[in-house]
Amino acid sequence: HQLGLHHKPIVLLNTNGFWTGLTDWLTQITDKGFVSKNMVDTAFFVVDTPAEAIAVLKTYKPVIVDKTQLHKGQMNGDSPGQAISDWDAAQRHTAELAHKELGSA
């Protein structure tokens, strides 16, 4: 999705909480800046029933990544001045954490 290689939704049928670990992980990596929240919110759908999965597939409208925005500091709907890539976001987040740790030492 993020690379623009396909524009299909990722639908997780979360029967008996099977995909809960994955969705928790997605939240964690999004919070840490490894993946754009906008990308996760527009590409991943977690549903409880097959009927809901079919409804998502029937109504899904793809969000197309404008790759020219990658060089302008805007990626997948991120605000101007934010990371130019998810890797850059992760590096910035790691640097912020290290700076906080040094300040508290």
Side-chain angles (χ1 to χ4, degrees):
H1 243 266
Q2 189 160 319
L3 296 176
L5 299 176
H6 74 85
H7 305 291
K8 299 172 183 88
I10 300 165
V11 181
L12 303 174
L13 182 57
N14 199 24
T15 305
N16 296 322
F18 184 82
W19 294 109
T20 301
L22 178 62
T23 59
D24 290 347
W25 178 75
L26 285 170
T27 300
Q28 183 182 20
I29 64 171
T30 300
D31 290 347
K32 291 184 178 185
F34 285 99
V35 177
S36 168
K37 180 174 178 7
N38 188 308
M39 193 280 301
V40 171
D41 290 345
T42 59
F44 289 88
F45 299 88
V46 182
V47 298
D48 295 317
T49 67
E52 290 173 313
I54 292 169
V56 168
L57 294 171
K58 284 183 176 180
T59 60
Y60 178 73
K61 302 283 186 236
V63 175
I64 308 300
V65 174
D66 180 1
K67 291 187 178 183
T68 63
Q69 295 302 310
L70 294 174
H71 302 290
K72 296 178 183 175
Q74 296 173 316
M75 184 167 180
N76 295 331
D78 292 338
S79 300
Q82 285 186 330
I84 59 171
S85 71
D86 290 338
W87 175 252
D88 187 36
Q91 287 181 312
R92 288 182 187 185
H93 181 76
T94 302
E96 289 170 8
L97 289 177
H99 180 70
K100 287 179 185 177
E101 288 177 11
L102 289 174
S104 63

